[in-house]
Amino acid sequence: MTKLYDNTRVSTYKICPRKYYYRHYRHWTGTGIDPPLIFGSCWHSSMDVVWKGIKEGYDKETVHTLAQGVFEEEWLKAGAVLQDEMSDDQESEYKFRHEGTAYHMLENYIERRWDFITGVEVLEVERPFAVPLHPTDQEMLYVGRQDKVIKWDSYIWAVEHKTSSLYAKSGYFRSNFLDSFTPNSQIDGYLHALKTDYGEDAKGVLVDGALVHKTEHEGFRFIPVEQQFEQLDAWLYETLEAIERIERDKDYMSNNLVEGEPFMSAFPKDTNSCFMFNRPCPYLGFCKVLANPENRREVPDGFKIEKWEPFKELALERIGVEDEDEDKG
């Protein structure tokens, strides 16, 4: 049976196995709105329109109008609220993340990136990939989706769009954002896939950073990331080691009577990860009171069951990958 692993699940397990259990074994996710996450997703969608529109020869005003329309469409589809319709509480929650900010960002992005986009060859947009992870297990695939694949100065690059609100007066972006992409498991996975598919023609990942800010709307920066093969070998080892532990914990849950036990002997908590970026883990409250979460079968208030399904999320049918049997919690 095909086993699909992606950065979302592997990284979640590395952060905290118990968080993996809640999100990817029990499939619990919050029902609330996450403005930074939604804004980033909508920005990605608008980038597809910008790059396609420029390559197809539309003028700047048309590209801007089309991209803004897609941003707002995806914004509403995600359940977010338009700026003019926000309550006082929502204005406090969303801050500057709304379609009004996107309007100015897109206008400046198109102006800033026009010459670059017209000068490169765009090979793929939203390119799904599935590459082998294990030398003897061809059913174990690492999957993902690269925002763009381009040919630039005779080399192949993957382009990854990223948004950040980490503002610096000098250069727009704080150093902790600029330095966060190496080492970075997602970027290293993209490099692994790029080199697997394109060999020596693969150069690296070009992170396309965009600043999200209340008043500064011209903050854009390319961050090139290249890795030596030795570094990618290390990423591969670390990824396979994490997958081995995931499979071990899943096997334990399948082969042992866990419900009714005083604590759960799988997916252990990492209590050093309860707070990240000054924000509590969404499952922190459960870890405080549930030594064995298998003893609680009902979905808590404020949560819903929603599987993370990389086959559907990444459109893997485009490259002939068959659907997998998702984790059952």
Side-chain angles (χ1 to χ4, degrees), residues 62-77:
T62 300
V63 173
H64 184 206
T65 299
L66 293 173
Q68 181 69 18
V70 166
F71 185 98
E72 294 183 13
E73 179 182 347
E74 294 299 316
W75 183 256
L76 293 171
K77 189 184 299 183

Side-chain angles (χ1 to χ4, degrees), residues 13 16-22 24-26 242 245-254 258 264-270 287 291 293-294 327-328:
Y13 189 91
C16 177
R18 187 59 56 90
K19 183 176 183 178
Y20 179 101
Y21 163 83
Y22 282 119
H24 298 293
Y25 190 82
R26 296 292 292 274
R245 287 187 285 137
I246 293 172
E247 292 295 322
R248 182 193 63 205
D249 281 343
K250 287 165 58 178
D251 287 344
Y252 182 90
M253 298 295 290
S254 298
V258 180
M264 190 171 73
S265 301
F267 297 107
K269 297 186 291 292
D270 182 346
C287 290
E294 282 290 292
D327 294 349
K328 300 296 190 297

Side-chain angles (χ1 to χ4, degrees), residues 215-229:
T215 57
E216 296 286 353
H217 304 309
E218 298 181 2
F220 306 104
R221 182 164 176 176
F222 278 135
I223 308 161
V225 182
E226 303 175 46
Q227 290 285 23
Q228 301 299 318
F229 283 107

